[in-house]
């Protein structure tokens, strides 16, 4: 079981329903849903520095259940359920430092 989150730059106010629509499009692999930004790329690099991506070698200790997805527009993570309490707050805080929106689809919450 995993806990999913998505992060992207959002220049306008967006509610949970609007964020879900973008998240749904992003998880379907659509591009152009959000604008590419250095903030997204920098955020992704910071995430992977603190929590290395999932590999065969670290599968037992990684906080991820699949590889971290970053396409320059967004970062989507699947957190191991056992690590969700640790990572949700840390990633949300890190996203705020990079001026990114954090979307939690399980709770249907938007964090700025």
């Amino acid at each position: 079981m995993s806990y999913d989150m998505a992060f992207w730059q959002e220049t306008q106010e967006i509610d949970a329903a609007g964020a879900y629509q973008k998240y749904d499009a992003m998880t379907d692999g659509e591009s152009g849903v959000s604008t590419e930004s250095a903030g997204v790329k920098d955020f992704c690099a910071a995430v992977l520095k603190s929590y290395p991506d999932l590999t065969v070698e670290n599968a037992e200790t990684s906080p991820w259940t699949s590889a971290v997805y970053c396409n320059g527009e967004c970062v989507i993570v699947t957190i191991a359920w056992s690590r969700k309490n640790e990572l949700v707050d840390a990633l949300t805080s890190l996203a705020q430092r990079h001026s990114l929106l954090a979307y939690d689809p399980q709770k249907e919450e938007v964090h700025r």
Side-chain angles (χ1 to χ4, degrees), residues 22-79:
K22 285 192 169 192
Y23 170 76
D24 190 43
M26 290 171 182
T27 57
D28 283 344
E30 292 182 30
S31 61
V33 177
S34 184
T35 305
E36 282 195 37
S37 75
V40 168
K41 294 173 186 172
D42 293 344
F43 171 76
C44 187
V47 168
L48 294 175
K49 182 177 180 184
S50 297
Y51 307 99
D53 211 350
L54 180 65
T55 64
V56 172
E57 294 79 22
N58 72 0
E60 295 298 318
T61 59
S62 176
W64 316 120
T65 58
S66 64
V68 172
Y69 175 80
C70 179
N71 68 354
E73 293 180 22
C74 67
V75 175
I76 300 173
V77 297
T78 55
I79 305 165

Side-chain angles (χ1 to χ4, degrees), residues 75-96:
V75 175
I76 300 173
V77 297
T78 55
I79 305 165
W81 191 261
S82 63
R83 304 278 303 268
K84 74 176 177 63
N85 292 336
E86 168 195 351
L87 267 75
V88 169
D89 291 339
L91 294 175
T92 300
S93 178
L94 185 60
Q96 290 171 344

Side-chain angles (χ1 to χ4, degrees), residues 3-5 14-21 23 102-111:
Y3 196 93
D4 304 330
M5 291 194 75
I14 189 169
D15 63 8
Y20 174 78
Q21 288 179 338
Y23 170 76
Y103 178 64
D104 180 335
Q106 287 80 203
K107 293 183 179 179
E108 299 179 358
E109 290 181 344
V110 175
H111 302 275

